[in-house]
Structure formats: structure tokens, C-alpha cells
Amino acid sequence: MLLIILINSKVNATDMIESVTEEDVLTRAELIEVMSKAQNININATAALLYDKTYDKILYAKNIDSKLPNASTTKILTAIVAYENSNMDDIVEVSERAASIGGSTINLRKGNKVLMGDLMKGLLMSSGNDAAIAIAEHVGGSVENFCKMMNKRAKELGATNTNFVTPHGLDKEDHYTTIQDLLIFTKHFMEIPYLLEISNTSTANIKIDNYIRDLRTTNEMLSIYDAVNGIKTGFTGKAGRCLITSIASGERELITMVLGCETKKQRTTETVQLITYGYNNFEEVDLFENMRKKFEIRVKKSLNDKYEVILSGHKKVLIQKGEANAIQYDYDMLYDLVAPLQKGEKIGRIQVHLYDEILTEIPIFIPYEITQKSFIQYFNEIIKNQKMYTEVKS
């Protein structure tokens, strides 16, 4: 199987921030068993998504429009807003409010001075709620104003079903989002290399005042697949165990999401199941392999009556394995055209179907300019035809 090759040897690494038991850890034997049964998806999470980022295609979805508590996956948007509105070299002084927050923390104390970049590591790697508060107060002036900035940015990005009232995601009334909106945040987050690199880091050192502190990631997926490149975990009583994962193998990149899992093992297992299903049950097909590539067009009033258009290149689509023979092509060409025609002018299209689904539409353009005959060329042609007529009759 494809993904067994990608498995990191450190399968039994445990979450250093969230409380876990031995039963929460997915063993190698269990992992391989999950992968072997991933032909069909069986997801018990409250909501889940399997998205192929390369092909911009949802491969599996469950309750992705449901408004749900989402725990520390909130920090994805927190990081975006902080990065876009501050300098990573800013020095942040920790307040009493930040130092007294509960849940996952990086043990900040009132009066500590920390670089914004180090707080971002604490936010994204160790899921520090204290880091989230310190960041929010520094960037927004207050937690409440920062949350307004978050909700404004969410709408600007196109997320219309999100309302955040905290920067950390601890359970609070009216704090919610959807998987569809989380996908928007995740895709934007991944376009910021600085943030993506932090979320893809397992261990790091930060400086608090003059002391060095070690950080470890809460993301167990970094210890399972070498190809994982982020992004965020989450856990609260209402939200359950949550996990958003990005993984790149070959030319394809997948994003998986599970919200509302009962245990850490469940979120890990179902994430592995989604990843395996995404890579092992879909294939890339080059449409040019079976597509008609030569077309003859007539162009009136041009130097030549007929022209041959030859298509070249590649156009890949993603389909379920075994369905390539069901792909159909619908050719729609403008065969009778009138000169002059400009280079790049559309002269037809190829619509590609898989059963009732339109996979893609390929436009066909004129590769070069086709000019109109001049008066002299028309006159010479008339003379030539007359001469031919005379020769036949004599």
C-alpha cells in the first residue's frame, strides 16, 4: 500500500499537552489494520472532511455545514490575524489575564516578556491558551477587540458561518464555526510559509524573559507520517477531540478534518482512514490520452479554405480508481468561421463527463492569426480559375 512507505518509525509518540492514556496511542499494528480497511470510509466524528487541495475537490464530507464548537482549531485564525497585524519581533508583556487562563498552556507568568514569534510557536505547536490571550491583547488591545478582528477577517476570507468570541477556542456560548469555514482558514494559513513551518515543527525552543523553554507539538500526525506538514489539534468538553491535517505525497496534497471525536485515538484513527482512502482510492487521469486532438475547421475569406487544429499538452483530473473507461468527451467546434480571426480567439470546447458529472471543460483557441484575403488575392484567384476554365474548354 502506498502510505505504509510514508510511516514514520515514531508511531508511539504521545501528546505532551493534552492528557492521554496508553489506550489513546495508536500502535503500528493498529495503524496498519486501519489502513488495510480504508477501502470504505466509516467515520464516527461529528463532522469530517477529506479535501484534495491539488485538484480543489472534496472527496468525502460529513456535516461540513453544521455550526459546531471547534476547540483550539480556532487558533488557525488567531495566528492569521496576528501575523497580518503585528511584527514577529515585537516584544509582548504577559498580562494577569493571560497568565491565569486554564487548559493547555506554555506556563506564562504575569510580567513575562516574550517575542511575538515565540508566542506563535506556543500557540500553534503546544496550543497555549495563555499565548493566545497574550497575542490577542498585544494585537487587538483587548481580547474582545481582537475577536472582532478575527470575525471581520473571517468574513473577508469568505467564511460566513463563523463566530469566535475567544482567541483560544475554550468552550463559550456563541463560539462556533463549520468545517467549510475551517477549510477556508486552513487554505489561507497554508499560504503563509512562516505559519505553516511552525505547525509542521515537532519540537522547538522559545525564550521567556531570559529563560529557554522547550516546546513539543500536540499534533500526533507529525509522528505518524513523514509527509504530514501541519496543521492543528483541538480538545474541549463540548467540541471533543478535533484534528486538522495536511499531507503531501507525490503531486497530491490532502487536507483532512475531524471534529467531535470522543477520544484521541478515534481522531487519529479516522484521520489515518481518510488519508489512506484519499490516496489509495483515487487516481490521476490525463484526459489527453484518450481525447480527440485533431480538428479541421473551415475559414471563409481566408487564404486557405481549411485549417487543421492540433491540440497538445496535458490535462489531469482526479477520479475514483476503475472509472477511467466511463469518461466521455463532448466536442463542440465552430467549423464554419469567417476571416479575419485573432490569435487566441475561442473556436470551440471539449466538455468532459464522468457519468452525470462534468469533470472539466477545455476551451480551444486559434493558435495564430488568420488573415482575410486581400482584393488582389481575390482578383488573382478569379483569374486563375478563369484560366483553368478556359484551358478545359479549348
Side-chain angles (χ1 to χ4, degrees):
M1 287 169 52
L2 170 65
L3 292 180
I4 291 180
I5 300 173
L6 303 176
I7 296 174
N8 191 298
S9 61
K10 299 178 289 183
V11 172
N12 290 317
T14 58
D15 191 317
M16 302 302 292
I17 303 298
E18 298 180 20
S19 60
V20 295
T21 65
E22 199 64 36
E23 289 72 27
D24 283 323
V25 179
L26 193 65
T27 66
R28 177 174 291 278
E30 289 172 325
L31 179 63
I32 293 175
E33 183 180 3
V34 170
M35 295 171 67
S36 68
K37 294 179 179 179
Q39 186 70 26
N40 298 307
I41 292 183
N42 180 26
I43 300 298
N44 293 311
T46 303
L49 176 76
L50 170 60
Y51 171 76
D52 191 299
K53 186 171 180 288
T54 307
Y55 286 93
D56 189 25
K57 185 173 182 177
I58 293 176
L59 307 181
Y60 174 85
K62 178 182 178 181
N63 296 331
I64 60 174
D65 293 318
S66 298
K67 295 179 180 178
L68 299 168
N70 61 302
S72 287
T73 60
T74 298
K75 291 165 182 163
I76 295 170
L77 185 58
T78 301
I80 291 171
V81 173
Y83 182 83
E84 293 176 344
N85 293 277
S86 67
N87 190 309
M88 295 301 103
D89 291 328
D90 287 352
I91 298 175
V92 180
E93 184 169 345
V94 178
S95 70
E96 175 66 30
R97 183 174 182 178
S100 61
I101 192 71
S104 297
T105 70
I106 57 172
N107 298 316
L108 296 176
R109 297 290 181 263
K110 181 182 177 181
N112 284 157
K113 291 182 173 61
V114 191
L115 286 176
M116 174 62 78
D118 282 347
L119 287 175
M120 293 288 260
K121 293 176 184 177
L123 179 81
L124 295 171
M125 291 177 59
S126 299
S127 203
N129 297 328
D130 47 0
I133 295 291
I135 288 170
E137 291 178 330
H138 178 77
V139 176
S142 69
V143 170
E144 291 72 24
N145 190 58
F146 184 82
C147 290
K148 290 179 182 178
M149 294 172 65
M150 291 175 71
N151 290 322
K152 181 176 181 289
R153 190 68 179 112
K155 287 182 173 59
E156 289 172 350
L157 291 171
T160 57
N161 292 301
T162 291
N163 187 66
F164 287 156
V165 295
T166 77
H168 42 64
L170 291 177
D171 293 331
K172 198 165 185 178
E173 189 177 356
D174 291 330
H175 186 101
Y176 59 81
T177 189
T178 67
I179 276 189
Q180 283 275 31
D181 282 2
L182 280 174
L183 180 61
I184 292 172
F185 304 149
T186 298
K187 289 164 68 176
H188 187 72
F189 179 99
M190 294 177 66
E191 291 173 359
I192 304 173
Y194 182 88
L195 299 181
L196 185 59
E197 183 178 354
I198 292 175
S199 77
N200 190 28
T201 302
S202 296
T203 61
N205 297 321
I206 65 171
K207 190 175 181 180
I208 301 175
D209 293 332
N210 294 316
Y211 299 95
I212 302 299
R213 183 162 299 168
D214 295 333
L215 296 182
R216 293 182 181 273
T217 184
T218 60
N219 189 348
E220 67 269 23
M221 298 307 298
L222 293 175
S223 298
I224 294 178
Y225 295 111
D226 286 332
V228 164
N229 54 2
I231 78 166
K232 192 69 190 75
T233 64
F235 171 54
T236 66
K238 287 185 178 180
R241 301 277 180 172
C242 307
L243 181 58
I244 299 176
T245 303
S246 170
I247 181 169
S249 177
E251 297 181 357
R252 290 176 58 204
E253 186 169 9
L254 302 181
I255 294 174
T256 66
M257 299 187 181
V258 289
L259 300 183
C261 294
E262 293 184 0
T263 65
K264 183 178 177 182
K265 179 178 281 190
Q266 181 193 342
R267 82 178 183 190
T268 310
T269 299
E270 296 189 355
T271 296
V272 169
Q273 189 182 149
L274 288 166
I275 290 171
T276 308
Y277 180 80
Y279 279 121
N280 288 8
N281 291 277
F282 293 85
E283 63 180 339
E284 297 168 288
V285 174
D286 190 343
L287 297 176
F288 270 69
E289 290 182 0
N290 297 310
M291 188 175 71
R292 177 182 168 192
K293 293 181 277 290
K294 290 185 180 181
F295 301 87
E296 186 179 82
I297 59 173
R298 293 180 178 274
V299 182
K300 297 177 182 178
K301 298 184 180 181
S302 66
L303 293 176
N304 300 304
D305 289 335
K306 298 177 182 179
Y307 294 85
E308 190 175 61
V309 177
I310 301 175
L311 304 184
S312 62
H314 299 280
K315 178 68 175 180
K316 290 184 178 181
V317 294
L318 188 71
I319 62 171
Q320 284 197 304
K321 286 186 176 178
E323 293 188 337
N325 291 334
I327 294 177
Q328 295 182 328
Y329 302 86
D330 180 17
Y331 303 96
D332 183 14
M333 297 289 297
L334 299 175
Y335 288 98
D336 292 314
L337 300 159
V338 180
L341 296 173
Q342 300 299 316
K343 178 182 178 180
E345 193 168 331
K346 186 177 178 181
I347 59 170
R349 67 170 189 176
I350 304 171
Q351 199 172 70
V352 186
H353 300 261
L354 179 61
Y355 305 118
D356 295 329
E357 177 189 2
I358 298 176
L359 291 179
T360 189
E361 184 173 293
I362 302 171
I364 301 175
F365 303 101
I366 286 284
Y368 47 78
E369 182 181 3
I370 297 179
T371 58
Q372 189 176 17
K373 287 180 183 177
S374 67
F375 174 79
I376 294 175
Q377 288 168 330
Y378 268 115
F379 180 78
N380 289 338
E381 191 172 275
I382 291 171
I383 297 298
K384 178 182 176 182
N385 290 339
Q386 181 64 42
K387 182 179 178 182
M388 290 176 61
Y389 174 80
T390 304
E391 287 176 349
V392 171
K393 288 295 184 179
S394 61

